[in-house]
Amino acid sequence: MAHPPRSDADLIAEFGPHLAYEPPGGWHGPSAGPPPALVKTHCCFCGQQCGIQLKVRDNKVIGFEPWEEFPFNRGMLCPKGVRRYLQDNHRDRLTAPLVREASGFRPTTWDDALARTVRGLQEIQAAHGKDAVAVLGGASLTSEKSYLVGKLARVALGTRHVDYNGRLCMVSAGVPYKHTFGVDRSPNPWSDIPKAQVLFIIGANIAECAPITTDYVWRCKDAGGTLIVADPRATPITRKADLFLPVRPGTDLAMLLAMLHVVVRDGLENRAFLEAHTTGWAEVAAEAAAWDPVRAARICGVPPEAIERTAHLIAKAERAILLHARGLEHHSKGVENCQAAINLMLTCGHIGREGAGVMMVTGQGNGQGGREHGQKCDQLPGQRSISDPAARAHVAKIWGIAPEELPGAGLTALEIVEAIHRGEIRGLLLLCFNPMVSLPDGAYVREALDKLAHFTVIDFFLSETAHHADVVLPGSLQEEEEGVVCSAEGRVIHIQRAVTPPDGARADTDILCELGRRLGGERHAAKFAFASPREVFDELRRASAGGVADYGGITYERIDREFGLFWPCPTEDHPGTPRLFEGGRTYHADGKAHLEATPWREGGDPLDAEFPIHLTTGRVVSQYLSGTQTRRIGPLVDQAPEPRLELHPTLADAHGIADGDWVEVTTRRGAQTFRALVVRTIRPDTVFVPYHWPGARSANRLTHRTMDPRSKIPEFKSSACRLAKGAPPPGTRRQLPIAGAS
Ligand SMILES: Nc1nc2c(c(=O)[nH]1)N[C@H]1C(S)=C(S)[C@@H](COP(=O)(O)OP(=O)(O)OC[C@H]3O[C@@H](n4cnc5c(=O)[nH]c(N)nc54)[C@H](O)[C@@H]3O)O[C@H]1N2
Ligand SMILES: Nc1nc2c(c(=O)[nH]1)N[C@H]1C(S)=C(S)[C@@H](COP(=O)(O)OP(=O)(O)OC[C@H]3O[C@@H](n4cnc5c(=O)[nH]c(N)nc54)[C@H](O)[C@@H]3O)O[C@H]1N2
Ligand code: SF4
Ligand SMILES: [Mo]
């Protein structure tokens, strides 16, 4: 079977993440100039937040060096990390504000662009009320920026509608973690992974999406650990798994309920732990009683014996860790899926100890920090609830407003798009989010953006979403501003400014503060008079103090000295909290873990005779999210120039499709054409398409808008589709045979 090399993923799977140095002389060749400065900071991409040293000369990032002392990655980097700096001096960088005219975008002055944004949003609010304007942020922003996004929306604009792209990412985990433990953070530091005797990875493509975690997984294996992987695809890490569970998309809940069933049936639950540290277990066990593995197997496609074996391995281990990512969460029952995972692990007493716990693999660079300080629609800084009167009073005081002036909870990201369709929301300020590529049902999203009476986007590249804006403000790259982010393991780290934004662009913080001053008018202008991210951080620390995500004792200097600090860290002499729930105590007032039963539900886009195949979507190692950044980095494009539709040889044969053929995929939303990648590593009833591309190559033109009722995450991981051999999309060059080749 011929398929293209997936060399980086293969290498990571075989050898673990690698140290990738530049070619001799560097990418830019030998230089006669002064030696470059090295700036110790972190990768701008995923939630692993690897330490890296950026090489800087003449206010330009020209390369990198590993940062071997940083404990998380010890110098290791993945293919994206080593090439990130190639976006820095890219010719597509926006260096002037743009305004829409009938003939297209026209560059303008900052003053004009900002005035248009302010006028556009204020006119809408004057005519239709404060809530007719919404703000959408993103979790690649530093915590200082995301704090400002929340404050800008609620104080300067006075709207309740502020949310962020993490709504598409981890909220299905956040809801059950908060419900069970009173806090939304991975309970264990990554250094616990090698200590687990059993490591159960569900719906996480570790080698491609969390490459540095591969090293932790191998260390677990080397120490004698048993590795179990549940995924519709045998991802690269599966090659070293002891047990692979080829779960059918959208059916993890049945599989997890059956594992719990086996634990209870065989009397393997940890009674002492359950009695001392949990509530709600009786209901959880009663729900599982109906889920014997034979019944579950019919739904989830995992053989009953494998379910039994997994349950026994987990229950009998002294220390087990369950690690999950979007494969478990991107479902209309994502919350129940994660709750069932928590229920299983807690039933066996795996929490609050070295090498024992349930952990989520955070996605975006500041996926964790971006959901702590108030850019979520229902949340105030410090992971406080916006409906809690004490929290409102605390934050209102710091912001210098009356608690009654603080708006209540607003709509979530996709609900905001729906409200735009209904005409209720007419103005939008968006940054660090590319919904044209990343939201489901692309045609519907596009219609919404074009309905807006005013739309401003802050980005450093003209994203597919920015194409629909009235005003585009050129913002800053991660390395152009100082700030903090919180990594997947809960470690708050310091992003250093390596360079300043190019002429014409501005730092995001400056833009947000300027907008805050102009929109807030005389009354609120002083509330956005921050001179630096450090000043924003000082206010954030006070706003978070006393909350669950307490940053009170974290300073930039301490972070630099201590290689980061794990929150909660209430005072400057507090050591931080790498492992939560030590001794079994949670953050609830009663100190207990609140378990909840998880009844089975069908997904939102069921298979039928017309659409008999599962479509699932996700990522490849060399592209990142909506691709705005990585589709501009040549060597990464070379590795993944286009999305390929993965399908099993059996399914391919049934449709007369060969590797490399064009395939038309049709869902209830429409049809798209992709080139086939025939692989034995996927279930024969499932196809997979990575989603990093726009337009004719967009997977999200196929996905549906069903949301989890509580987390409001869209069901990216499970749609119903049918396949047909397709014609090349218009404009595709035909590959000509090479003369003389046989
Ligand atoms: N290279 C790269 N790395 C990234 C990113 C990126 O875009 N590119 N993005 C970052 C972000 S924001 C995120 S959220 C993370 C995402 O990290 P992951 O969640 O690991 O990545 P995905 O590819 O979205 O999905 C993971 C796996 O879920 C499987 N899956 C699909 N449906 C199901 C199902 O129903 N059940 C189960 N058990 N598994 C299923 C898929 O086959 C896939 O292997 O990665 C981060 N890292
Ligand atoms: N079908 C399908 N769809 C998915 C997923 C899936 O698995 N399948 N995964 C979902 C997940 S987990 C996620 S996290 C989302 C992500 O989806 P998006 O949030 O839309 O993805 P990004 O590519 O991060 O978009 C961010 C935009 O912000 C810009 N940007 C990045 N950093 C900064 C910054 O510091 N400042 C400013 N001003 N701009 C910045 C980038 O240039 C880019 O244009 O996609 C979701 N969509
Ligand atoms: S694993 Fe994530 S943080 Fe580390 S280098 Fe790769 S993309 Fe960057
Ligand atoms: Mo994500």
Side-chain angles (χ1 to χ4, degrees):
M1 186 87 30
H3 36 88
R6 302 170 69 194
S7 53
D8 278 317
D10 288 349
L11 278 172
I12 292 166
E14 293 297 328
F15 306 112
H18 49 293
L19 276 175
Y21 291 94
E22 292 172 65
W27 293 107
H28 291 258
S31 163
L38 287 176
V39 180
K40 287 187 168 61
T41 184
H42 297 271
C43 179
C44 60
F45 294 131
C46 87
Q48 311 279 291
Q49 284 301 291
C50 298
I52 187 171
Q53 303 192 77
L54 293 182
K55 257 188 202 171
V56 178
R57 184 186 288 141
D58 300 335
N59 200 35
K60 285 192 162 51
V61 182
I62 56 164
F64 75 95
E65 289 279 343
W67 177 10
E68 313 219 354
E69 300 79 36
F70 190 72
F72 178 79
N73 60 311
R74 298 175 296 137
M76 291 177 280
L77 294 162
C78 88
K80 288 181 302 307
V82 303
R83 291 167 189 132
R84 65 167 277 192
Y85 72 94
L86 293 172
Q87 70 180 324
D88 274 65
N89 309 306
H90 201 283
R91 63 173 189 276
D92 289 353
R93 253 329 265 283
L94 296 173
T95 51
L98 304 174
V99 291
R100 172 177 298 283
E101 310 260 283
S103 56
F105 283 120
R106 172 177 67 77
T108 188
T109 61
W110 271 96
D111 193 50
D112 177 50
L114 291 164
R116 282 173 193 246
T117 298
V118 169
R119 200 166 54 237
L121 298 177
Q122 284 182 337
E123 279 175 6
I124 292 168
Q125 288 192 310
H128 302 281
K130 299 268 189 208
D131 290 342
V133 162
V135 180
L136 285 171
S140 296
L141 298 172
T142 59
S143 299
E144 289 81 348
K145 297 182 198 181
S146 42
Y147 174 82
L148 279 176
V149 168
K151 187 175 179 185
L152 175 85
R154 291 173 178 134
V155 177
L157 280 164
T159 177
R160 65 190 177 95
H161 300 309
V162 51
D163 209 43
Y164 76 130
N165 65 7
R167 187 64 58 189
L168 317 181
C169 187
M170 302 209 45
V171 284
S172 290
V175 169
Y177 277 73
K178 201 118 199 172
H179 172 85
T180 308
F181 303 115
V183 55
D184 170 15
R185 198 203 101 181
S186 232
N188 299 61
W190 252 233
S191 53
D192 272 5
I193 295 174
K195 295 171 186 156
Q197 294 161 318
V198 173
L199 183 60
F200 185 14
I201 297 177
I202 308 188
N205 181 0
I206 295 293
E208 298 202 66
C209 300
I212 300 307
T213 300
T214 317
D215 180 61
Y216 289 81
V217 175
W218 292 172
R219 281 194 266 148
C220 173
K221 285 278 300 176
D222 289 347
T226 302
L227 175 63
I228 309 167
V229 176
D231 198 300
R233 303 183 304 144
T235 60
I237 203 158
T238 311
R239 290 180 211 161
K240 292 208 180 163
D242 299 281
L243 191 54
F244 172 56
L245 315 178
V247 65
R248 182 176 284 138
T251 65
D252 298 80
L253 182 55
M255 176 183 77
L256 289 163
L257 279 165
M259 287 173 187
L260 194 64
H261 173 99
V262 173
V263 173
V264 180
R265 182 197 67 196
D266 296 349
L268 297 172
E269 73 272 16
N270 187 332
R271 282 268 161 196
F273 174 84
L274 288 166
E275 276 163 25
H277 299 295
T278 65
T279 64
W281 188 74
E283 292 77 13
V284 167
E287 181 69 42
W291 285 93
D292 67 83
V294 174
R295 175 185 174 202
R298 277 198 293 272
I299 293 176
C300 71
V302 178
E305 304 73 31
I307 294 177
E308 302 251 358
R309 202 165 146 224
T310 304
H312 278 240
L313 281 166
I314 291 174
K316 289 176 184 163
E318 175 73 16
R319 299 178 306 279
I321 284 180
L322 186 153
L323 209 57
H324 60 92
R326 306 310 85 77
L328 192 65
E329 297 155 28
H330 276 164
H331 296 283
S332 58
K333 51 179 173 301
V335 169
E336 282 95 334
N337 283 349
C338 297
Q339 184 71 55
I342 295 171
N343 291 348
L344 174 68
M345 297 308 278
L346 266 60
T347 294
C348 305
H350 295 307
I351 196 75
R353 291 180 287 119
E354 235 183 25
V358 49
M359 296 161 63
M360 43 182 147
V361 189
T362 302
Q364 300 177 79
N366 197 20
Q368 179 62 48
R371 63 183 198 259
E372 292 166 359
H373 299 295
Q375 68 175 337
K376 270 178 98 171
C377 65
D378 57 351
Q379 184 213 57
L380 290 171
Q383 254 190 35
R384 289 181 157 93
S385 163
I386 202 162
S387 43
D388 168 10
R392 294 172 63 85
H394 171 80
V395 175
K397 190 162 173 222
I398 289 171
W399 287 354
I401 57 174
E404 314 77 74
E405 290 180 277
L406 250 185
L411 294 175
T412 61
L414 187 50
E415 289 175 315
I416 287 176
V417 174
E418 293 175 340
I420 297 171
H421 265 277
R422 292 195 301 270
E424 290 164 22
I425 291 177
R426 294 158 183 259
L428 181 63
L429 171 66
L430 173 146
L431 68 160
C432 201
F433 195 165
N434 190 7
M436 279 291 294
V437 180
S438 58
L439 278 179
D441 196 356
Y444 180 85
V445 175
R446 184 194 181 111
E447 269 174 49
L449 296 184
D450 289 337
K451 277 188 180 177
L452 287 165
H454 180 86
F455 184 22
T456 287
V457 169
I458 309 174
D459 206 313
F460 39 75
F461 290 131
L462 196 65
S463 70
E464 290 73 17
T465 299
H467 277 281
H468 295 259
D470 299 295
V471 177
V472 183
L473 303 173
S476 51
L477 285 170
Q478 180 243 31
E479 48 272 43
E480 293 168 355
E481 218 178 351
E482 180 179 38
V484 305
V485 301
C486 184
S487 76
E489 51 175 358
R491 191 195 294 260
V492 181
I493 51 177
H494 191 184
I495 305 300
Q496 299 281 359
R497 189 180 74 178
V499 290
T500 54
D503 284 348
R506 284 196 186 172
D508 289 337
T509 304
D510 293 346
I511 304 173
L512 290 167
C513 288
E514 177 79 40
L515 281 173
R517 289 191 292 269
R518 290 187 185 219
L519 286 163
E522 230 171 86
R523 178 161 173 236
H524 297 308
K527 302 181 174 92
F528 295 90
F530 301 103
S532 64
R534 183 183 283 268
E535 288 186 12
V536 182
F537 187 61
D538 284 342
E539 188 178 291
L540 179 160
R541 286 173 62 196
R542 285 191 288 125
S544 76
V548 170
D550 192 330
Y551 279 41
I554 301 180
T555 64
Y556 289 173
E557 288 70 25
R558 274 195 79 187
I559 296 178
D560 293 344
R561 275 199 309 274
E562 301 175 42
F563 293 116
L565 275 159
F566 292 79
W567 66 259
C569 179
T571 55
E572 287 191 34
D573 55 4
H574 188 285
T577 317
R579 189 178 303 105
L580 303 177
F581 324 132
E582 299 254 20
R585 217 191 139 71
T586 70
Y587 283 61
H588 287 307
D590 63 3
K592 302 221 167 160
H594 298 178
L595 303 182
E596 191 179 67
T598 54
W600 167 258
R601 272 189 294 122
E602 293 294 338
D605 197 37
L607 302 196
D608 62 14
E610 206 186 334
F611 300 103
I613 298 163
H614 295 283
L615 163 68
T616 192
T617 60
R619 298 156 161 79
V620 293
V621 66
S622 55
Q623 287 295 320
Y624 188 65
L625 304 182
S626 73
T628 320
Q629 296 169 266
T630 45
R631 280 186 280 110
R632 288 186 162 87
I633 299 178
L636 297 179
V637 176
D638 289 345
Q639 281 178 45
E642 59 174 4
R644 300 283 301 262
L645 173 114
E646 284 185 26
L647 80 171
H648 192 272
T650 314
L651 191 60
D653 289 347
H655 289 80
I657 294 165
D659 190 64
D661 281 354
W662 291 97
V663 186
E664 188 182 63
V665 189
T666 309
T667 67
R668 297 184 176 103
R669 271 68 52 201
Q672 293 280 82
T673 305
F674 305 99
R675 219 190 279 267
L677 178 63
V678 180
V679 291
R680 292 187 181 281
T681 47
I682 186 166
R683 287 179 60 91
D685 58 2
T686 302
V687 298
F688 171 87
V689 184
Y691 86 100
H692 313 284
W693 288 267
R697 298 182 296 171
S698 163
N700 272 328
R701 290 206 178 160
L702 298 170
T703 50
H704 60 110
R705 281 183 279 123
T706 314
M707 289 179 256
D708 181 290
R710 279 191 283 174
S711 73
K712 305 294 167 87
I713 211 167
E715 193 150 48
F716 291 122
K717 290 290 186 273
S718 160
S719 305
C721 75
R722 66 165 178 266
L723 305 179
K725 200 165 163 163
T732 310
R733 279 168 179 266
R734 194 162 59 90
Q735 281 186 2
L736 297 174
I738 298 170
S742 57

